[in-house]
Amino acid sequence: RVAIHTLGCKVNQYESQAMEELLRARGHSLVPFEAQADVYLINSCTVTATSDESRQAVRQARKRAPGALVALCGCYPQVSPEAARQLEADLIGGSGDRRGFLDLLEQLARTREKAVALDDPFRRRVFEALPAGGLEGRTRAMLKVEDGCTNFCAYCIIPYARGAVRSLPVEQAAAQARAADLEVVALFNGVCLVQQRINSAGDSLAGVGVQRLIAVDQHAQEQSGLPFKADIPQAQVHPLNNGADERFDDLDRAALLRFTGFCHKMLQS
């Protein structure tokens, strides 16, 4: 029995649901994080407030079930490895190689030997394709098409937590989006594209045929003057940032226009 607790952005949510799918495929059952479990997996965030929650989640899991295994992964240990090592986690992983992390988790269950598996995110060159789908209780399927960032904005930790930009190849993205739409048509209300930077994804995704697409970007804000909905009536922008127009002008608003074309091609059938 595995319990997963997810903190942070929709990229983390996507990766948690992917790990849920992979765990089920390996024969494991999932239970709520508040329940008794054999393994507690915390997919953490490095933003200040949620990094505190990440540490608290590890302590709560240890207190709830002293004999259970506690695994910590995500951006918090990737960016703050020494702080993560101070926590009572049996397995510590970073923000990449989710399948390898689950391999180590199964090995830990057999051997009870603690492990730390952290890489250098700036050495990552290949996009890790994971299953599309949705978290329990959510109405939309998610598909990650890009990871990482190379902008190095003064206020942002993403390049250090996620490494350089890598994108899901166009053909794979189209196939996964199409498959997700067919598999979850009775459960999910659209497909959600999850990525770190909207202007870093592939050039085109034609012939996908999803009923609706929701583009999520951590540096995007929907503006009334932006011809996004007019050009793509089935698409929506879900902003994860709040701020003044002047700030978003400084953050390359033209990226939104480039992504409009990306989404338009993906919705063509």
Side-chain angles (χ1 to χ4, degrees):
R1 297 171 300 170
V2 182
I4 299 180
H5 183 53
T6 307
L7 294 154
C9 66
K10 287 190 180 293
V11 171
N12 266 17
Q13 293 175 28
Y14 164 79
E15 291 173 347
S16 286
Q17 70 79 27
M19 288 191 287
E20 288 179 353
E21 291 299 316
L22 293 171
L23 286 166
R24 288 194 188 96
R26 297 180 184 208
H28 304 292
S29 60
L30 296 169
V31 298
F33 193 75
E34 297 76 18
Q36 289 291 315
D38 302 304
V39 176
Y40 292 91
L41 194 165
I42 295 96
N43 191 6
S44 66
C45 177
T46 192
V47 176
T48 303
T50 47
S51 64
D52 292 340
E53 294 180 33
S54 300
R55 294 189 291 270
Q56 292 171 6
V58 173
R59 299 187 185 103
Q60 290 171 0
R62 183 61 72 201
K63 183 178 181 180
R64 182 178 301 121
L69 298 174
V70 178
L72 176 67
C73 67
C75 294
Y76 175 64
Q78 189 72 62
V79 173
S80 305
E82 293 307 317
R85 290 172 190 267
Q86 302 303 312
L87 300 174
E88 297 182 38
D90 300 296
L91 174 62
I92 297 175
S95 59
D97 193 11
R98 300 305 189 178
R99 287 184 174 83
F101 182 75
L102 296 182
D103 290 341
L104 291 174
L105 187 59
E106 290 181 325
Q107 179 179 315
L108 174 66
R110 294 191 300 269
T111 65
R112 296 279 165 164
E113 295 181 2
K114 295 185 177 183
V116 176
L118 294 171
D119 68 338
D120 179 355
F122 293 107
R123 293 183 177 273
R124 298 174 190 169
R125 296 293 182 269
V126 179
F127 181 90
E128 182 185 18
L130 294 169
L135 289 166
E136 293 286 345
R138 300 299 177 93
T139 60
R140 292 186 180 115
M142 293 184 286
L143 170 63
K144 186 172 76 171
V145 297
E146 182 271 334
D147 202 354
C149 183
T150 54
N151 283 347
F152 292 96
C153 298
Y155 60 86
C156 185
I157 199 69
I158 286 176
Y160 304 95
R162 293 279 176 172
V165 170
R166 290 97 59 209
S167 295
L168 182 65
V170 171
E171 296 80 7
Q172 293 183 37
Q176 279 196 263
R178 189 183 301 111
D181 190 51
L182 293 174
E183 292 172 2
V184 301
V185 65
L187 298 176
F188 297 109
N189 189 18
V191 175
C192 176
L193 285 187
V194 181
Q195 55 192 125
Q196 301 289 352
R197 286 294 293 161
I198 55 177
N199 59 333
S200 301
D203 293 329
S204 64
L205 283 172
V208 177
V210 296
Q211 295 177 351
R212 184 168 60 172
L213 180 146
I214 299 91
V216 179
D217 181 82
Q218 296 188 16
H219 297 279
Q221 182 183 30
E222 184 178 355
Q223 297 292 319
S224 59
L226 186 67
F228 193 95
K229 286 187 176 180
D231 287 351
I232 312 174
Q234 309 101 308
Q236 300 174 4
V237 172
H238 180 73
L240 298 184
N241 276 356
N242 293 315
D245 288 348
E246 292 80 6
R247 175 60 54 86
F248 283 93
D249 284 334
D250 293 339
L251 294 181
D252 187 11
R253 190 189 299 271
L256 290 172
L257 295 173
R258 288 195 291 272
F259 196 58
T260 300
F262 170 81
C263 294
H264 186 74
K265 292 175 183 177
M266 186 171 181
L267 286 163
Q268 291 175 342
S269 59

